[in-house]
Amino acid sequence: AGGAGGSRAGSSSALDTGLLQQHPVRVLEAINTILFERHGYAPCNRYGVPRDSQLSSVMETGVGCSASLSILYLEICRRL
């Protein structure tokens, strides 16, 4: 284990403590608040613009296609 996708022995996460299992809606609401309200991430209505699909650009500008925002969202959830 170890590395970017490996185990994090000794770390405490929302999943480890049962927070996500006990209060999934509250955890997702908190993620939504932080990602979309506090940091201003938003979907774009443009199609075919390559930078809207590039995660580095989406993270820099806060605007991206639905697929890119979904990948970012899933990665945040995975890291809890």
Side-chain angles (χ1 to χ4, degrees), residues 23-77:
H23 305 286
V25 174
R26 292 175 76 183
V27 171
L28 294 176
E29 286 173 345
I31 294 169
N32 289 340
T33 297
I34 292 168
L35 191 62
F36 299 113
E37 294 177 23
R38 186 179 298 172
H39 292 287
Y41 282 86
C44 64
N45 294 323
R46 303 177 297 225
Y47 294 98
V49 179
R51 72 172 177 250
D52 293 340
S53 298
Q54 297 169 343
L55 289 177
S56 59
S57 178
V58 172
M59 291 175 66
E60 188 175 301
T61 64
V63 177
C65 69
S66 298
S68 295
L69 290 173
S70 296
I71 291 168
L72 181 61
Y73 198 94
L74 287 170
E75 187 60 24
I76 289 169
C77 291

Side-chain angles (χ1 to χ4, degrees), residues 8-19:
R8 298 175 310 187
S11 68
S12 178
S13 71
L15 189 58
D16 292 340
T17 61
L19 182 63

